Amino acid sequence: MNTKPTICIIGTGGTIAGAGTSATSANYESGQVDTSKLVNAVSGLEKIANVRTETLFSTGSENLSPKSWRILARRIEELSENPNINAFVVTHGTDTLEEASFFLDLVCKSKKPIVLTGAMRSSTALSADGPANIFHAALTATSPKIKNQGVLVVMNGLIIQGVQAIKTDSVALQSFSAYPGGPIGKIVGEEVFVTENSRPSPLIGRFFNHLQHDRELPFVDIIILRGGCADHQVKALGNAKPKGLVIAGFGAGTVPNNLADFISHKESNGCIFIISSRVSKVTVIPETMTKINNSNVLPAGVLNAQKSAILLSLGLEENLKADDLSKLFKIFAMQ
Ligand code: SIN
C-alpha cells in the first residue's frame, strides 16, 4: 500500500526555474523551466512523497504582485479541499519571497503545511541549489514535526517562518535570515530538526476575506530616505494624497525635519504613515522614532518597509483605523 503523503508543488518562476546558455555565467532568464521538469531533477523526492505539480507563473518574482499572490493563495485554498493532498511546496523567485510568504501567511487559512522555496542559482548553473531546496522543502512540508506553523520558507537548509523571512544577500546561497528570532529548524540529510523558537504568527489567515473578492488592494507606496530629503519630494507627497504610505527612514525610525513637518501638517490628515527603516533588521518603536504630532503615524515595530506595505494595504482594504492598525503592527514587534 502507498502510505507516502502527497504534496502539490506549485511553480511560480524565479531563478529556481531559470535557465542560461552557460553553466558558469551569472546570466540566465528566470522562470523558463516547467515545474514537472524541476521536480524530475530532485533525486530522492519519490522516496518521501507522491508529487503533483503545476505551474502557475513563469516569470521573475519582480513581476509578481499582491494580485499574483492572491491567485496563488486561492489555488492553495482550493487544492486544500482535496483530501488526497497533504501539503504544498511553492517554488518562487527569491527577490520578493519575503513579501509572498508574509502575504500568504496573512490570507491563507489552510491547515496543511505551505512551504516556499527558491534558489540563488539557476537550474542550469554549476551546483544549482534548487534541487536540494525543493527536497528540503518537501521534507519539511511532510514532516510530522511541522504542525500549524503557518507559511514557512525553506532555503539553504534552514526553516524560517514566512512572517520572519528576510532576504539579506543578493547572491550568496545563505541569502535568507529569520528576523526577529531565528530559524525554527534545519534539515540535515533526510532529517528535519525543529527548535523551540517556533512561535506561529497569531495573524495566520487574519485577512482571508481578501480572497473572497476581486478588488485591488489599496496601493501603498514606500519612500526610502537617503541622507537629506529634498523639499520637492515632500511637496510631491502632498500632491499625491495617498491613503497610506510607508517611510523607510533612518536607523530606529528617524526622519528629517522637513518630512516630519509635512507628516504632522493638516494636509496629510487621513493618510496613515508607517515609519519603518532602511536598515535590514528593523526596530522602530515610539521611543526611538522622530516625534510627530499626528495620531496617524505608526511605528513599524520589526517589519521592514516591504512587509509593512503589505500589512498596511490589507488593513486599509478593511478600512481599519490607526488604533487597530497600530495593534496589528505591535503583534509583530512582540513576536
Ligand atoms: C526572482 O526573484 O525571480 C529572481 C531572483 C531569484 O529567484 O533568486
Side-chain angles (χ1 to χ4, degrees), residues 14-268:
T15 296
I16 192 165
T21 47
S22 146
T24 48
S25 156
N27 205 351
Y28 63 88
E29 211 174 320
S30 286
Q32 298 301 295
V33 184
D34 190 66
T35 313
S36 56
K37 197 164 165 211
L38 285 185
V39 165
N40 285 341
V42 186
S43 55
L45 196 54
E46 70 292 342
K47 279 198 296 188
I48 58 170
N50 304 307
V51 176
R52 285 174 53 162
T53 61
E54 55 184 80
T55 301
L56 211 51
F57 309 114
S58 300
T59 185
S61 74
E62 67 276 15
N63 297 316
L64 301 182
S65 66
K67 219 171 165 173
S68 333
W69 299 320
R70 175 159 60 185
I71 293 170
L72 173 60
R74 282 180 178 155
R75 185 67 185 135
I76 291 171
E77 290 292 327
E78 187 185 343
L79 289 167
S80 244
E81 300 292 319
N82 182 340
N84 299 320
I85 295 179
N86 304 97
F88 299 92
V89 168
V90 176
T91 59
H92 195 286
T94 63
D95 285 346
T96 60
L97 187 59
E98 55 185 294
E99 283 144 285
S101 58
F102 188 50
F103 180 90
L104 291 177
D105 199 75
L106 289 167
V107 302
C108 285
K109 265 192 171 162
S110 170
K111 292 271 178 270
K112 299 184 178 175
I114 303 168
V115 180
L116 271 60
T117 192
M120 296 305 292
R121 295 178 183 154
S122 79
S123 71
T124 52
L126 212 56
S127 303
D129 52 330
N133 285 343
I134 292 175
F135 183 72
H136 290 165
L139 266 182
T140 305
T142 54
S143 168
K145 296 177 190 164
I146 300 291
K147 288 249 173 334
N148 301 324
Q149 289 293 334
V151 172
L152 297 173
V153 170
V154 168
M155 285 290 291
N156 204 29
L158 297 180
I159 307 171
I160 297 172
Q161 275 164 351
V163 294
Q164 296 199 354
I166 54 172
K167 186 173 181 182
T168 49
D169 199 302
S170 304
V171 290
L173 292 184
Q174 185 47 53
S175 56
F176 277 79
S177 302
Y179 178 78
I184 66 158
K186 62 183 176 184
I187 299 108
V188 182
E190 297 176 358
E191 193 81 35
V192 172
F193 294 91
V194 178
T195 69
E196 281 164 12
N197 285 343
S198 93
R199 274 175 301 160
S201 158
L203 294 184
I204 293 171
R206 160 68 182 79
F207 291 97
F208 178 72
N209 282 347
H210 177 63
L211 305 185
Q212 311 304 311
H213 61 76
D214 288 322
R215 287 189 301 278
E216 259 187 55
L217 277 182
F219 187 78
V220 168
D221 227 332
I222 296 174
I223 297 179
I224 299 183
L225 298 186
R226 37 154 285 184
C229 179
D231 284 341
H232 73 262
Q233 284 181 289
V234 175
K235 210 166 154 220
L237 282 183
N239 297 337
K241 296 202 180 5
K243 265 180 97 176
L245 195 64
V246 174
I247 295 173
F250 305 111
T254 55
V255 303
N257 291 339
N258 54 353
L259 185 58
D261 286 348
F262 166 77
I263 294 173
S264 55
H265 193 267
K266 66 176 173 26
E267 274 177 35
S268 69

Side-chain angles (χ1 to χ4, degrees), residues 265-316:
H265 193 267
K266 66 176 173 26
E267 274 177 35
S268 69
N269 279 357
C271 175
I272 304 279
F273 294 90
I274 302 295
I275 309 295
S276 183
S277 173
R278 62 182 195 166
V279 305
S280 59
K281 294 182 177 175
V282 173
T283 300
V284 178
I285 55 175
E287 291 81 354
T288 60
M289 62 190 252
T290 299
K291 301 278 168 285
I292 298 173
N293 188 18
N294 178 342
S295 56
N296 281 349
V297 181
L298 310 173
V302 295
L303 295 185
N304 62 20
Q306 50 274 36
K307 288 190 195 245
S308 296
I310 296 271
L311 186 58
L312 181 55
S313 298
L314 287 165
L316 288 175

